[in-house]
């Protein structure tokens, strides 16, 4: 992408309304624009990153055996009356009336709808296990939308729903999601800690929140240092095998959110093992049994032919919140430092002197070679001061900067800078290309 053709509305000033660094940087880097409280447009740079996060989430869901579908954002109140949640959900639900005065709502979550889909088609234990997920916009009319996309009112969520014949099988489905989550957050460059969590209004008795430690997090969390460097399950982990040893390893060290905190158990840890911190909830998994299948009549026949309500779990990931969480975890004074897996472009190519024939032609050549090799390049081909160009590249946080100017070219050299470390290499044009491919 040539910067001259891109839409990157950078802000030089620090926006006053932004209280935390990720929100400030997303606004300054031209990634989002607020349209109403807690409702954002995703500008091109933000949209690229959002899609990359979404794709990693999708790949790991698929790897674990979950199946993607897409349910609508607008739902009918009828379904929510069946589960009893239409009245119980309260003011966070955005209620809408259509022209026929039918009560509708903008979905805050999809347990009812997916249970309805399930009951319309599945009758037997032979069709289980089943895990259906979608990645769709949600709306929750939060009392205090804040911190940008971290607590939006409209936000993108991955929500998966598992269906099993009994509690034991449902536990296996839970373990598959648990492992998929460990892998997902690791691929996003994050250290997410599974912590025992309250099940809240969704109900049930088995639940973990996946938490990123960050001083700006909204939850108080407690864990043992031992959980911080457990190994992440590899990409060939067998999702059809027994995952309980992995889950046991990750649930043995103490780790709990505020609501589930057991001060006595925590204080029994040696003092140098205790981590008491703040955290961002990026994912949440629940087993809730027959809470929805019971009242909604989602029954399946077991091997004995007897019909019984199906056992369910639900599994959320805050896809849009993750963008804020990644920036909270990875930035410096100058701006964002994207992990390679979600970086909007791999390389920022900077032409220090547009209009200089030699510099222009070397830059054009580099842009073409890298692009043809499948490397995503943002090419700063606009006329501007070097200082401003460097500041913009640091702000938007691409992993590599490739700097080309007439002085270096006299010696046949370009400069390659690694954003994360600031390390600079002076190389020939060919060596720089080889380095980036
Ligand atoms: P929170 O405690 O932050 O209000 P929640 O527990 O209400 O979140 P869940 O119902 O567990 O949220 O939804 C699954 C995931 O969706 C959360 O783990 C979080 O990552 C994300 N999420 C929830 N609410 C928001 C929001 N208002 N803005 C952005 N992401 C959100
Ligand atoms: Mg909430
Ligand atoms: Mg929560
Ligand atoms: Mg939650």
């Amino acid at each position: 992408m040539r910067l001259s053709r891109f839409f990157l509305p950078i802000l030089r000033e620090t926006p006053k309304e932004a209280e935390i660094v990720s929100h400030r940087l997303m606004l300054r880097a031209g990634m989002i624009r607020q349209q109403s409280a807690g409702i954002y447009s995703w500008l091109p740079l933000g949209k690229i990153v959002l899609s990359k996060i979404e794709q990693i989430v999708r790949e790991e869901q698929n790897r674990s055996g979950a199946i993607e579908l897409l349910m609508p954002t607008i739902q009918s109140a009828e379904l929510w009356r069946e589960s009893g949640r239409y009245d119980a959900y309260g003011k966070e639900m955005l209620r809408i009336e259509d022209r026929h005065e039918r009560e509708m709502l903008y979905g805050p979550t999809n347990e009812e709808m997916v249970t309805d889909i399930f009951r319309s088609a599945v009758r037997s234990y032979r069709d289980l296990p089943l895990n259906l997920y979608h990645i769709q916009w949600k709306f929750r009319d939060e009392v205090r939308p804040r911190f940008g996309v971290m607590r939006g009112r409209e936000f993108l969520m991955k929500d998966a729903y598992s269906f099993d014949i009994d509690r034991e099988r449902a536990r296996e489905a839970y373990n598959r999601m648990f492992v998929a989550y460990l892998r997902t957050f690791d691929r996003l460059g994050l250290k997410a800690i599974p912590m025992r969590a309250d099940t809240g209004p969704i109900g049930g008795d088995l639940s973990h929140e996946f938490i990123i430690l960050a001083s700006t997090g909204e939850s108080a969390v407690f864990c043992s240092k031992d959980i911080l460097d457990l190994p992440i399950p590899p990409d060939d982990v067998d999702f059809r095998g027994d995952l309980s040893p992995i889950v046991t390893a990750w649930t043995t060290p103490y780790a709990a959110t505020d609501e589930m905190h057991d001060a006595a158990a925590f204080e029994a840890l040696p003092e140098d093992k205790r981590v008491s911190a703040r955290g961002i909830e990026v994912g949440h998994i629940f087993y809730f049994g027959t809470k929805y299948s019971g009242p909604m009549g989602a029954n399946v026949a077991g091997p004995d032919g007897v019909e019984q309500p199906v056992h369910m779990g639900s599994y959320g990931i805050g896809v849009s919140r993750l963008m804020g969480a990644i920036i909270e975890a990875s930035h410096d004074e100058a701006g964002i430092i994207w992990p390679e897996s979600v970086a909007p472009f791999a390389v920022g190519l900077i032409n220090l002197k547009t209009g200089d024939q030699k510099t222009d032609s070397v830059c054009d050549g580099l842009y073409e070679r890298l692009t043809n090799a499948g490397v995503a390049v943002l090419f700063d081909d606009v006329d501007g001061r070097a200082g401003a160009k460097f500041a913009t590249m640091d702000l938007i946080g691409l992993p590599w900067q490739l700097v080309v100017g007439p002085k270096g070219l006299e010696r046949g050299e370009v400069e390659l800078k690694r954003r994360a470390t600031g390390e600079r290499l002076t190389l020939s044009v060919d060596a720089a290309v080889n380095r980036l491919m």
Side-chain angles (χ1 to χ4, degrees):
M1 178 62 67
R2 287 176 183 269
L3 190 57
S4 59
R5 301 277 174 80
F6 198 44
F7 181 64
L8 186 66
I10 298 284
L11 304 180
R12 294 285 164 213
E13 310 287 304
T14 298
K16 279 188 218 61
E17 71 271 26
E19 297 166 67
I20 62 170
V21 67
S22 58
H23 188 195
R24 272 198 297 278
L25 290 174
M26 287 180 74
L27 290 170
R28 286 195 47 219
M31 300 181 69
I32 52 169
R33 177 177 167 75
Q34 182 173 306
Q35 303 297 156
S36 306
I39 302 180
Y40 291 86
S41 288
W42 296 81
L43 304 180
L45 194 73
K47 167 65 178 135
I48 297 172
V49 179
L50 189 66
S51 299
K52 291 202 151 191
I53 297 173
E54 185 181 332
Q55 184 56 21
I56 289 175
V57 170
R58 173 178 292 116
E59 285 169 14
E60 294 304 325
Q61 290 293 294
N62 293 347
R63 190 197 303 277
S64 78
I67 305 166
E68 186 171 14
L69 47 53
L70 185 59
M71 294 177 267
T73 54
I74 305 292
Q75 308 186 18
S76 150
E78 277 318 300
L79 275 178
W80 288 69
R81 289 215 167 83
E82 285 190 48
S83 71
R85 276 209 295 182
Y86 190 61
D87 295 322
Y89 211 92
K91 290 202 161 195
E92 259 190 32
M93 180 185 279
L94 180 64
R95 295 157 207 263
I96 305 164
E97 201 176 81
D98 74 7
R99 66 198 298 163
H100 306 294
E101 294 173 10
R102 276 192 288 257
E103 290 170 284
M104 314 288 287
L105 57 102
Y106 194 123
T109 178
N110 282 64
E111 281 81 6
E112 284 79 357
M113 189 175 281
V114 79
T115 304
D116 177 57
I117 293 172
F118 179 88
R119 72 180 170 186
S120 72
V122 182
R123 298 271 173 273
S124 160
Y125 78 98
R126 285 192 199 86
D127 300 322
L128 305 180
L130 182 66
N131 185 321
L132 299 173
Y133 78 95
H134 72 163
I135 301 174
Q136 177 63 293
W137 296 91
K138 304 292 185 291
F139 195 95
R140 294 184 186 175
D141 203 353
E142 301 277 354
V143 195
R144 242 189 115 200
R146 58 179 189 156
F147 297 165
V149 300
M150 209 69 105
R151 184 166 296 286
R153 292 199 295 165
E154 187 182 55
F155 59 97
L156 190 60
M157 193 203 286
K158 183 285 299 181
D159 37 326
Y161 304 89
S162 65
F163 302 88
D164 288 276
I165 191 66
D166 55 26
R167 193 189 153 94
E168 200 184 318
R169 292 299 162 85
R171 176 73 212 218
E172 292 168 9
Y174 187 91
N175 289 351
R176 285 193 289 275
M177 279 294 120
F178 191 107
V179 170
Y181 276 38
L182 291 174
R183 289 193 38 79
T184 302
F185 297 123
D186 182 63
R187 283 187 61 190
L188 294 169
L190 290 169
K191 199 181 260 300
I193 305 166
M195 300 198 175
R196 274 163 36 80
D198 198 10
T199 50
I202 289 186
D205 59 2
L206 177 60
S207 175
H208 286 88
E209 282 176 15
F210 286 74
I211 300 279
I212 308 295
L213 300 183
S215 57
T216 47
E218 292 187 281
S219 330
V221 297
F222 306 85
C223 67
S224 159
K225 271 214 169 78
D226 290 344
I227 203 167
L228 299 179
D229 32 48
L230 288 174
I232 300 295
D235 55 10
D236 61 355
V237 62
D238 182 7
F239 278 98
R240 288 186 296 185
D242 179 14
L243 298 172
S244 60
I246 300 175
V247 175
T248 302
W250 278 88
T251 50
T252 302
Y254 187 86
T257 61
D258 214 3
E259 299 84 16
M260 297 299 279
H261 184 46
D262 173 352
F266 184 63
E267 260 129 54
L269 298 174
E271 191 158 6
D272 63 337
K273 292 263 178 184
R274 288 180 224 158
V275 180
S276 157
R278 305 208 54 87
I280 302 168
E281 178 190 333
V282 288
H284 196 166
I285 59 179
F286 295 93
Y287 163 71
F288 49 74
T290 59
K291 182 177 157 92
Y292 300 95
S293 54
M296 293 184 67
N299 300 322
V300 283
D304 53 6
V306 178
E307 281 210 353
Q308 49 182 303
V310 71
H311 285 247
M312 294 175 60
S314 76
Y315 313 89
I317 290 183
V319 174
S320 49
R321 175 178 288 183
L322 271 167
M323 193 171 327
I326 291 169
I327 298 172
E328 288 295 322
S330 184
H331 66 271
D332 63 14
E333 264 98 276
I336 302 167
I337 302 172
W338 290 114
E340 306 220 351
S341 60
V342 296
F345 299 92
V347 184
L349 170 61
I350 300 177
N351 181 334
L352 283 179
K353 191 146 196 195
T354 53
D356 176 71
Q357 210 181 351
K358 177 90 188 284
T359 312
D360 286 350
S361 87
V362 170
C363 282
D364 286 343
L366 278 167
Y367 179 62
E368 204 172 292
R369 282 170 73 186
L370 289 169
T371 306
N372 288 344
V375 179
V377 181
L378 180 64
F379 174 17
D380 180 351
D381 59 344
V382 298
D383 188 18
R385 286 185 313 105
K389 289 182 175 229
F390 294 141
T392 296
M393 280 300 173
D394 280 350
L395 174 63
I396 67 173
L398 311 181
W400 293 100
Q401 296 169 16
L402 180 54
V403 185
V404 182
K407 277 206 201 109
L409 288 180
E410 273 170 28
R411 298 184 302 270
E413 288 166 355
V414 295
E415 192 179 72
L416 194 57
K417 176 180 144 184
R418 188 147 186 73
R419 173 67 180 89
T421 57
E423 169 201 359
R424 290 162 196 275
L425 300 168
T426 303
L427 299 167
S428 72
V429 172
D430 285 341
V433 171
N434 288 335
R435 194 66 193 231
L436 292 170
M437 297 214 299

